[in-house]
Amino acid sequence: MAHDLLLLAGDGIGPEVMGEVKKVIGWFNANGMDFAVEEDLVGGCAYDAHGQAVSDATMDKALRADAVLLGAVGGPKWDKVPYEVRPEAGLLRLRKDLELFANLRPAKCFDALADFSSLKRELIEGLDILIVRELTGGVYFGEPKEIRDLGNGQKRAIDTQVYDTYEIERIAAVAFDMARLRDNRVCSMEKRNVMRSGVLWNEVVTQVHQDRYGDVQLSHMLADAGGMQLVRAPKQFDVIVTDNLFGDMLSDVAAMLTGSLGMLPSASLGAPDAATGRRKALYEPVHGSAPDIAGQGKANPIACILSFAMALRYSFDAGEAADRLEKAVESVLAQGVRTGDLLGPNGGAAVSTAQMGDAIVAALGAN
Ligand code: NAD
């Protein structure tokens, strides 16, 4: 059966990097896989066409697709459009309506780029970790959330950290499922020493592990110690699972272990479908629409191509194809092929977005 994939290229460099993903999909379709691709608008381009950052018709397609791959949204052209229809509103609606509660951010070091890291080469060479962050609960959404006037010249700001059992259960299950596709190890991070939500988080993750995932190795770490360990010895981790707030920070720390924004993929997943077991999924590069280089053929397409590799692994049960694509990226980088963002202080000749895509497709065939 064909895999239904919806491509939403978006704005700025989005269509440029997505163009290279289409070449990669074309290669897989010519070599035994079957992707049925639809394309549609999101972000500023959707606002220009429909007056909405994502139309209801596009949302219907996203809800039906096996996976959605997004390029990037936004840009100065839409700085003054009304708040509810700004480009980012399209992305937020996709995340909300698809009920994507799990954010996956890998931090993988490609040896050829090891010197881009702020850490020593030996600490990050071979690094391959995955941060699983709870995305729809916790202190960013908990009520009450307000600034109170205390009437004595003082104000009081309140944010509330709230987690229910089911929210912790389902994010823990995602982390254990992902670990089974990798090195089968999960480290759960919270602050049970000072937060009640940390106590419940720890209890529930332990229970889910005991009930359903005894084959996966589970450890626990306080989130502050986890932050330290991420920069001291990051290779000790496989999958890290943590809440919305800690995950926001730890995933950015982990991302920067590996260098350039043009290299970072991500995924957001929902609950498994009762009939098919397939999770709703949105894959996207971490970077934005990069208006400063848009339309110039300078963008690095690797973050978007690696986001498609995540789709292969996590939506299409195609781990071998994902490995093959990641190896193709690795071999192109090892040959010294570089877009401008990967040149580093010593400079050198940069290839274009299309040349990088072509090199990766050629390496796919050579693998
Ligand atoms: P950005 O990620 O677009 O760019 C930051 C810097 O990194 C720029 O110098 C850019 O040229 C460079 N860069 C980013 N991706 C690159 C790539 N693939 N190859 C080479 N260089 C790359 O962030 P920004 O400048 O803060 O935001 C620009 C626009 O993107 C804004 O409108 C913002 O709202 C939007 N944005 C969208 C998303 C998204 O779609 N998920 C995420 C972040 C920002």
Side-chain angles (χ1 to χ4, degrees), residues 13 72-75 88 91 261-262 284 287-293 299-300 341:
I13 62 169
V73 297
E88 290 74 14
L91 192 49
L261 200 51
E284 55 181 321
H287 64 70
S289 58
D292 53 333
I293 56 166
N300 182 353
D341 58 308

Side-chain angles (χ1 to χ4, degrees), residues 267-324:
S268 301
L269 305 181
D273 180 87
T276 63
R278 174 155 291 158
R279 294 177 184 278
K280 290 263 175 290
L282 173 72
Y283 298 88
E284 55 181 321
V286 169
H287 64 70
S289 58
D292 53 333
I293 56 166
Q296 300 171 37
K298 289 183 179 169
N300 182 353
I302 293 179
C304 201
I305 288 174
L306 292 177
S307 299
F308 176 64
M310 290 186 82
L312 288 169
R313 195 181 301 285
Y314 299 125
S315 281
F316 300 126
D317 298 329
E320 276 178 27
D323 287 345
R324 186 178 190 121

Side-chain angles (χ1 to χ4, degrees), residues 124-199:
I124 51 125
E125 217 163 20
L127 177 79
D128 184 0
I129 63 182
L130 179 69
I131 309 249
V132 177
R133 164 190 171 192
E134 202 288 328
L135 199 59
T136 52
V139 73
Y140 292 167
F141 299 100
E143 295 287 346
K145 187 176 199 59
E146 61 187 28
I147 298 178
R148 271 182 211 158
D149 195 331
L150 298 180
N152 59 356
Q154 295 285 306
K155 291 179 181 175
R156 178 172 296 156
I158 302 172
D159 293 287
T160 309
Q161 165 89 336
V162 193
Y163 272 110
D164 289 355
T165 305
Y166 81 95
E167 294 175 286
I168 306 171
E169 280 173 352
R170 65 185 185 178
I171 192 74
V174 170
F176 290 126
D177 283 342
M178 296 304 130
R180 280 179 174 163
L181 299 172
R182 299 169 44 92
D183 201 35
N184 222 23
R185 294 181 292 124
V186 171
C187 180
S188 168
M189 294 187 186
E190 31 59 22
K191 289 278 289 174
R192 64 187 178 282
N193 52 341
V194 285
M195 295 172 79
R196 304 308 295 168
S197 56
V199 172

